[in-house]
Amino acid sequence: MKPTTAPKTYRVKSFGCQMNVYDGERMADMLDKRGIVPAPEGEEADLVVLNTCHIREKAAEKVYSDIGRLTKAGRKVGKEPLIAVAGCVAQAEGEEIMARSPAVSMVVGPQAYHRLPDMLDKAVQGERATDTDMPAIAKFAALPERTKRFPTAFLTVQEGCDKFCTYCVVPYTRGAEISRPFADLVKEAHRLAERGAREITLLGQNVNAWSGLDAKGDSCGLDGLIRELAKIPELQRIRYTTSHPNDFEKGLVRCHAEVEKLMPYLHLPVQSGSDRVLKAMNRSHTADSYLRLLEDMRAARPDIALSGDFIVGFPGETEAEFEETLALVDEVKYAQAFSFKYSPRPGTPAATMDGQVAKEVMDERLQRLQAALNRDQLAFNEASVGKTCQVLVERKGKLPGQWLGKTPWLQSAWFEGDVAIGDLVEVELLEAGPNSLSARLRNQVRSFV
């Protein structure tokens, strides 16, 4: 690799989960601090960061496809961009990426991306570098303070996972569970609110495993952190994701009943309705224990919107076991859900299990599952028609004068009116579609200056 001029523009492209979105935002913050600016829409960037996901095979292959496209586009304009591969694919396949893609200058794992600026300096001098070190929590202290103003913000409170589900690479790419200190999180939340964030989503691979010592030195869980953040006057909404059923404490259930700022929405992956499949997945919960937890949540917050994750075609899954998943879906009636075909990931126990399900069988089961989930999502939206609720305005809609925001139940609602991004407005929900609702503006409270 030859030395090159320092990049003036960048683009960060993030794949996968909200944790990756957060990581992508923080890498952008570091590049901003270096005086590198986002590339204008439609223009090729001098530096491209591909912030990757490794949960599914297609996501990993997409990285290599993007590397090829970027190289080809750069040759057309006479200057190939510097390419950095970050995230979970970088962690899992760092050396392979370097060997397979000579166009890549930097490979940096999700626990080391705070060292991206130093790696960039070396790349400009013609050095290729890989950093997939996994320090416990050092990167958060090294990240610059966030200065951009948004009405919503992610706040990572916990990283890593100790559950070792047999299909999942997260323990290998993100490491063991670690919790950021209580005081650091409260301080960052205050700063986000001061910069205009009216809604904060607490993030973690297993967010409800967060624990720490509060301001008095007492042990507390995620519920204690939420109660402290709810005291921030400017902050109006709190959400969290993603939770594991086995770490869901009673205190967090009570939080949904007692903390007004905690939104009535819960994303709680179940993955399967079959106890045998769940055991093979090493999920450590049963369909019944999961359903009983949801009963507790609905008792605490009757209007709560429930969301989940599902995998179809896990090795050995029979038709009868898949039918158990459909039965669970029928009982829960999810407001939203995410469903995927099983994808074997190298190095995970499930990848070598007997009984790998044929692709066409997985395709057919996924279609049936998604039909049921889509039916219930539309039904939830239709049941919301006629309600009056607050919507946080996040962006302009597709049409002139149209605005888009989220209801307390994380539904997208669009409406017209004299508002601004960041306003918290009261609307009446008028008409439901499968993915959004139309609404009428009733009044507004300006809350983002």
Side-chain angles (χ1 to χ4, degrees):
M1 178 181 167
K2 297 179 180 179
T4 185
T5 56
K8 296 180 179 179
T9 63
Y10 74 86
R11 179 167 290 115
V12 177
K13 184 174 182 180
S14 293
F15 306 82
C17 67
Q18 290 169 311
M19 293 286 286
N20 270 24
V21 174
Y22 170 87
D23 289 347
E25 291 175 352
R26 301 316 318 272
M27 283 187 276
D29 289 338
M30 289 188 291
L31 297 173
D32 289 337
K33 191 174 182 181
R34 293 288 296 267
I36 310 173
V37 300
E41 195 66 34
E43 293 186 16
E44 298 296 328
D46 299 330
L47 166 67
V48 178
V49 180
L50 299 175
N51 185 30
T52 63
C53 173
H54 203 245
I55 298 299
R56 286 171 293 281
E57 184 177 8
K58 285 185 178 179
E61 286 303 314
K62 185 169 177 55
V63 175
Y64 293 105
S65 175
D66 274 5
I67 292 168
R69 181 192 62 77
L70 290 166
T71 303
K72 185 176 180 180
R75 288 171 182 165
K76 282 186 177 180
V77 299
K79 183 183 178 182
E80 294 183 28
L82 287 170
I83 300 174
V85 178
C88 291
V89 171
Q91 186 69 38
E93 304 181 17
E95 295 303 326
E96 181 179 347
I97 293 169
M98 281 298 203
R100 181 172 168 179
S101 303
V104 174
S105 303
M106 297 159 277
V107 172
V108 57
Q111 304 295 26
Y113 66 73
H114 57 293
R115 294 196 277 265
L116 180 62
D118 292 336
M119 298 177 72
L120 177 57
D121 289 339
K122 294 179 181 179
V124 170
Q125 298 302 315
E127 297 182 35
R128 301 176 78 208
T130 299
D131 190 340
T132 53
D133 193 16
M134 299 184 75
I137 206 160
K139 74 176 179 186
F140 292 103
L143 294 174
E145 188 171 323
R146 287 189 270 183
T147 58
K148 295 177 182 176
R149 298 176 63 83
F150 295 104
T152 64
F154 291 136
L155 176 56
T156 293
V157 303
Q158 178 272 343
E159 287 206 359
C161 185
D162 296 342
K163 297 296 181 286
F164 287 93
C165 297
T166 55
Y167 54 82
C168 186
V169 296
V170 166
Y172 312 103
T173 59
R174 291 275 182 172
E177 290 179 357
I178 56 171
S179 295
R180 294 182 63 192
F182 178 92
D184 291 358
L185 295 171
V186 173
K187 182 179 179 181
E188 187 170 349
H190 272 281
R191 287 178 174 171
L192 291 170
E194 290 166 1
R195 285 169 173 76
R198 296 296 167 255
E199 176 179 294
I200 288 179
T201 300
L202 309 179
L203 295 181
Q205 267 82 34
N206 187 16
V207 68
N208 55 333
W210 181 89
S211 63
L213 300 178
D214 65 17
K216 296 179 180 179
D218 297 328
S219 297
C220 72
L222 186 65
D223 57 315
L225 177 62
I226 288 171
R227 290 178 188 276
E228 184 66 24
L229 299 188
K231 298 175 185 177
I232 301 174
E234 302 92 341
L235 187 61
Q236 299 299 312
R237 292 179 164 190
I238 301 171
R239 302 183 189 274
Y240 60 90
T241 194
T242 292
S243 295
H244 193 287
N246 255 42
D247 290 321
F248 218 98
E249 302 291 342
K250 295 294 185 182
L252 189 54
V253 175
R254 289 194 298 272
C255 241
H256 279 273
E258 298 168 0
V259 179
E260 185 178 356
K261 291 183 180 181
L262 182 57
M263 291 295 96
Y265 179 89
L266 173 64
H267 181 68
L268 191 64
V270 62
Q271 307 301 1
S272 174
S274 161
D275 286 348
R276 191 206 65 79
V277 173
L278 289 171
K279 185 175 181 180
M281 289 179 168
N282 196 34
R283 284 293 290 173
S284 65
H285 64 84
T286 65
D288 182 65
S289 68
Y290 177 86
L291 291 171
R292 283 190 279 110
L293 176 54
L294 297 190
E295 287 178 5
D296 291 343
M297 289 298 302
R298 281 180 162 146
R301 188 68 194 258
D303 67 334
I304 197 162
L306 298 172
S307 173
D309 286 350
F310 294 88
I311 295 173
V312 302
F314 186 80
E317 181 189 64
T318 66
E319 176 63 23
E321 288 166 341
F322 172 69
E323 291 284 350
E324 290 182 90
T325 297
L326 292 179
L328 184 143
V329 168
D330 288 344
E331 183 168 348
V332 174
K333 303 191 184 313
Y334 290 93
Q336 298 179 20
F338 303 91
S339 53
F340 311 95
K341 291 181 288 188
Y342 168 72
S343 176
R345 308 314 297 134
T348 59
T352 56
M353 284 182 178
D354 294 333
Q356 299 288 325
V357 177
K359 180 181 180 297
E360 58 271 20
V361 174
M362 287 197 284
D363 289 341
E364 190 270 341
R365 288 178 184 172
L366 184 64
Q367 290 178 22
R368 288 159 60 194
L369 175 60
Q370 289 182 340
L373 294 171
N374 291 340
R375 172 202 68 203
D376 291 344
Q377 180 171 317
L378 177 59
F380 185 89
N381 288 346
E382 289 176 337
S384 300
V385 171
K387 289 182 179 179
T388 297
C389 67
Q390 287 190 329
V391 166
L392 180 61
V393 184
E394 296 184 8
R395 60 182 173 88
K396 292 183 177 180
K398 295 180 180 179
L399 302 177
Q402 190 180 80
W403 300 90
L404 191 72
K406 291 292 195 300
T407 72
W409 306 282
L410 206 62
Q411 301 153 301
S412 293
W414 57 268
F415 55 91
E416 297 177 352
D418 179 21
V419 302
I421 293 174
D423 284 356
L424 197 62
V425 301
E426 186 177 275
V427 303
E428 180 185 358
L429 302 176
L430 299 178
E431 187 175 350
N435 299 309
S436 64
L437 296 99
S438 64
R440 178 190 299 118
L441 183 66
R442 292 172 63 92
N443 59 59
Q444 66 191 60
V445 178
R446 284 289 167 99
S447 58
F448 184 63
V449 180

